[in-house]
């Protein structure tokens, strides 16, 4: 009894909040709920979360088992279902063992020796996985999707497996005994699907561009987006699009855009969070310029779980900035941009009607530069693994350097300058 009393005195009470939450899996629960909210975007998020908690299925397996014919998909799927007490779902079970709304339609295609449309398969799977047994016990989807289109259709239906098992060897190899020791792929599969879900996000480009006005951020973002199909997001353009589309956030942003004043950080962050949570950004990655402009905004991005994995600072001498910006002109008739030195107007008629944007007047350029340089040192300290780009050279040389930094592992900061 004395020992128990001493132990009780030594144990902190109440336990620290972080330890309590970790011990009971609250962090994982909140993460799962947030993922579901971002995927489904329900009209009533509170009711959605209540139903999510009632289902209590965050730990239920959601597994796809894929592979070529004779690779052992059925063997592995059945074994996983037995181990986890999960529901096996395959083309065979959907057509011959289930009574679903569109089963007869799918069977009709089969009887006519016609290929069952991908959309019909996706609907059958969605209906089956929405049944209470699959929700409560989890599921193992065998042999589907077979191609990228089917995978996209599953995602569009809100079906996201936690683990995908790819089998490459034929069934005979999977059960082969070597030197009296069984090669047991089932053990390897079990270890994989029992692991915590790991996001593929670190391998998806999430790129931030910083640089003074005129340093070429927009051009480089466009080149990266064209080659790698990442989403090009300019914060200023995003704000204008929200206003033009008359969205709810756009209505709140409009007065600031009309007056030329800065848009409050919370509105910008809401707009960015919404855009960067869209399926194209989550799938293909993104390149962002124009935000954050200071460390406080950078911290807000971090708190919103918007974390870049590549950051670039463009460096350009003052004289080059002035030469690039102060000589820019725009044709008010066509919207075409020209430069008095590098890209002069092709005819005297066009030259006569060119206009200069007020922001490109030297006085306004200097104000914008003062704002940028007042924050850039703190931003460089905040993003310590950033790359530094000499922006005073041929754009395609710059692009090659940026490209090499994106596709290779991060080097040390000291060796990341061009």
């Amino acid at each position: 009894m004395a020992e128990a009393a001493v132990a009780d005195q030594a144990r902190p009470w109440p336990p620290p909040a972080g330890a309590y939450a970790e011990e009971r899996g609250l962090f994982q629960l909140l993460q799962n709920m947030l993922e579901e909210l971002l995927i489904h975007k329900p009209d009533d998020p509170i009711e959605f979360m209540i139903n999510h908690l009632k289902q209590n299925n965050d730990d239920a397996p959601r597994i796809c088992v894929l592979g070529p014919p004779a690779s052992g998909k059925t063997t592995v799927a059945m074994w996983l279902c037995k181990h986890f007490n999960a529901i096996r779902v395959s083309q065979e079970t959907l057509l011959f063992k289930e009574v679903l709304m569109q089963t007869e339609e799918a069977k009709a295609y089969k009887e006519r020796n016609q290929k069952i449309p991908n959309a019909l398969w996706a609907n059958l799977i969605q209906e089956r996985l929405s049944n209470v047994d699959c929700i409560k016990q989890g599921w193992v989807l065998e042999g589907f999707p077979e191609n990228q289109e089917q995978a996209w259709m599953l995602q569009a239906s809100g079906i996201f497996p936690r683990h995908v098992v790819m089998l490459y060897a034929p069934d005979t190899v999977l059960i082969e005994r070597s030197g009296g020791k069984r090669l047991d792929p089932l053990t390897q599969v079990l270890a994989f699907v029992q692991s915590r879900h790991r996001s593929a996000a670190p391998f998806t480009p999430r790129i931030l561009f910083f640089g003074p006005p005129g340093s070429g951020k927009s051009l480089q973002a466009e080149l990266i987006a064209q080659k790698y199909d990442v989403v090009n997001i300019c914060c200023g353009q995003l704000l204008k699009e929200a206003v033009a589309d008359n969205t709810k956030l756009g209505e709140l942003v409009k007065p600031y855009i009309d007056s030329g004043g800065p848009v409050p950080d919370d509105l910008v962050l809401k707009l960015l969070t919404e855009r960067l949570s869209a399926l194209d950004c989550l799938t293909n990655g993104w390149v962002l310029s124009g935000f954050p402009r200071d460390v406080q905004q950078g911290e807000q991005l971090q708190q919103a779980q918007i974390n870049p994995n590549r950051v670039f600072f463009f460096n350009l001498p003052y004289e080059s900035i002035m030469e690039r910006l102060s000589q820019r002109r725009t044709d008010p008739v066509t919207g075409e941009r020209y430069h008095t030195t590098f890209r002069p107007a092709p005819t005297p008629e066009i030259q006569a009607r060119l206009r200069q944007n007020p922001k490109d007047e030297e006085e306004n350029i200097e104000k914008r530069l003062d704002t940028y340089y007042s924050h850039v040192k703190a931003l460089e300290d905040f993003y310590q693994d950033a790359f530094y780009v000499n922006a005073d050279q041929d754009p395609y040389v710059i692009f090659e350097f940026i490209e090499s930094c994106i596709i290779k592992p991060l080097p040390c900061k000291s060796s990341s300058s061009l």
Side-chain angles (χ1 to χ4, degrees):
M1 291 292 292
E3 291 180 359
V6 171
D8 286 339
Q9 291 174 5
R11 185 184 300 121
W13 187 262
Y20 177 88
E22 183 69 30
E23 183 179 326
R24 286 158 179 78
L26 297 183
F27 292 133
Q28 186 65 39
L29 175 64
L30 290 173
Q31 181 179 338
N32 292 338
M33 290 177 64
L34 181 58
E35 288 177 355
E36 294 296 318
L37 282 172
L38 292 175
I39 289 168
H40 296 285
K41 297 182 179 177
D43 293 332
D44 187 345
I46 301 300
E47 184 67 23
F48 179 88
M49 287 189 288
I50 291 172
N51 291 332
H52 180 86
L53 290 171
K54 285 180 179 178
Q55 292 173 356
N56 190 28
N57 69 327
D58 285 331
D59 292 327
R62 299 201 294 266
I63 307 167
C64 280
V65 178
L66 308 176
S71 59
K73 296 187 295 295
T74 300
T75 301
V76 171
M78 292 177 68
W79 186 84
L80 287 171
C81 288
K82 182 178 179 181
H83 185 87
F84 289 108
N85 192 31
I87 307 300
R88 174 174 164 254
V89 179
S90 67
Q91 296 183 7
E92 175 194 4
T93 62
L94 289 170
L95 290 179
F96 302 109
K97 297 183 181 180
E98 305 287 351
V99 181
L100 303 171
M101 292 178 60
Q102 300 184 65
T103 298
E104 294 304 319
E105 183 181 352
K107 284 184 177 179
Y109 279 97
K110 198 78 172 176
E111 290 168 0
R112 296 194 298 264
N113 291 321
Q114 294 178 341
K115 181 181 178 182
I116 298 175
N118 290 334
L120 181 53
W121 275 125
N123 290 338
L124 284 168
I125 292 169
Q126 182 185 27
E127 183 182 353
R128 182 64 187 93
L129 298 187
S130 63
N131 286 354
V132 67
D133 58 346
C134 286
I135 292 173
K136 287 291 187 182
Q137 297 173 235
W139 45 264
V140 178
L141 181 56
E142 174 195 326
F144 199 96
E146 296 178 333
N147 52 53
Q148 189 178 52
E149 182 183 355
Q150 291 178 351
W152 278 109
M153 286 188 171
L154 286 186
Q155 290 189 2
S157 301
I159 299 169
F160 294 85
R162 282 204 184 96
H163 297 88
V164 177
V165 177
M166 295 293 298
L167 302 177
Y168 294 100
D171 200 30
T172 53
V173 174
L174 294 179
I175 60 174
E176 183 180 21
R177 296 178 182 272
S178 176
K181 181 180 179 181
R182 183 180 180 184
L183 176 63
D184 188 4
L186 301 181
T187 302
Q188 301 172 25
V189 171
L190 178 61
F192 168 65
V193 299
Q194 284 183 326
S195 66
R196 283 289 183 188
H197 171 65
R198 293 173 296 173
S199 170
F203 305 97
T204 303
R206 302 191 303 273
I207 306 165
L208 271 185
F209 279 168
F210 293 99
S215 57
K217 302 185 297 294
S218 298
L219 173 60
Q220 296 302 324
E222 185 178 343
L223 293 173
I224 291 293
Q226 286 176 355
K227 180 161 185 179
Y228 291 98
D229 199 30
V230 301
V231 182
N232 183 6
I233 300 174
C234 171
C235 187
Q237 186 62 30
L238 190 64
L239 294 171
K240 293 176 183 176
E241 289 173 359
V243 172
D245 293 340
N246 292 319
T247 64
K248 290 182 179 179
L249 279 175
E251 292 175 2
L252 298 175
V253 168
K254 189 176 187 302
Y256 300 97
I257 297 292
D258 291 344
S259 65
V263 180
D265 289 353
D266 61 330
L267 292 180
V268 177
L269 199 62
K270 285 180 182 178
L271 196 61
L272 274 176
T273 302
E274 183 179 292
R275 183 66 188 92
L276 296 177
S277 300
L279 183 60
D280 57 348
C281 288
L282 293 174
T283 305
N284 298 341
W286 44 263
V287 52
L288 171 64
S289 58
F291 195 93
R293 296 180 181 273
D294 55 45
V295 169
Q296 183 179 359
Q297 293 178 348
E299 291 172 344
Q300 290 172 345
L301 276 187
Q302 196 174 69
Q303 291 166 5
Q305 299 300 311
I306 301 173
N307 297 309
N309 50 27
R310 296 293 186 274
V311 179
F312 295 86
F313 285 91
F314 290 60
N315 294 322
L316 191 65
Y318 174 84
E319 295 78 11
S320 298
I321 294 172
M322 283 299 180
E323 184 180 31
R324 289 185 184 185
L325 297 184
S326 64
Q327 297 183 44
R328 292 197 304 196
R329 300 292 185 271
T330 304
D331 184 347
V333 176
T334 64
E336 192 74 19
R337 282 189 175 185
Y338 296 96
H339 191 281
T340 56
T341 301
F342 303 129
R343 190 172 181 259
T347 66
E349 180 185 0
I350 295 177
Q351 174 66 37
R353 68 184 188 225
L354 294 183
R355 297 290 182 269
Q356 183 182 39
N357 191 317
K359 72 177 184 179
D360 289 338
E361 296 174 359
E362 289 195 16
E363 180 181 352
N364 292 328
I365 295 172
E366 289 180 352
K367 290 179 181 178
R368 293 161 64 197
L369 287 176
D370 288 343
T371 300
Y372 173 76
Y373 287 123
S374 66
H375 297 294
V376 68
K377 181 61 173 67
L379 283 167
E380 289 176 352
D381 292 339
F382 186 73
Y383 293 107
Q384 295 188 359
D385 290 325
F387 298 89
Y388 293 85
V389 181
N390 174 12
D392 195 18
Q393 54 184 332
D394 184 88
Y396 291 96
V397 174
I398 298 172
F399 173 73
E400 288 177 359
F401 171 71
I402 293 173
E403 183 181 33
S404 70
C405 297
I406 291 172
I407 63 178
K408 293 180 181 178
L410 285 168
C412 297
K413 183 176 179 180
S414 60
S415 62
S416 59
S417 297
L418 177 58

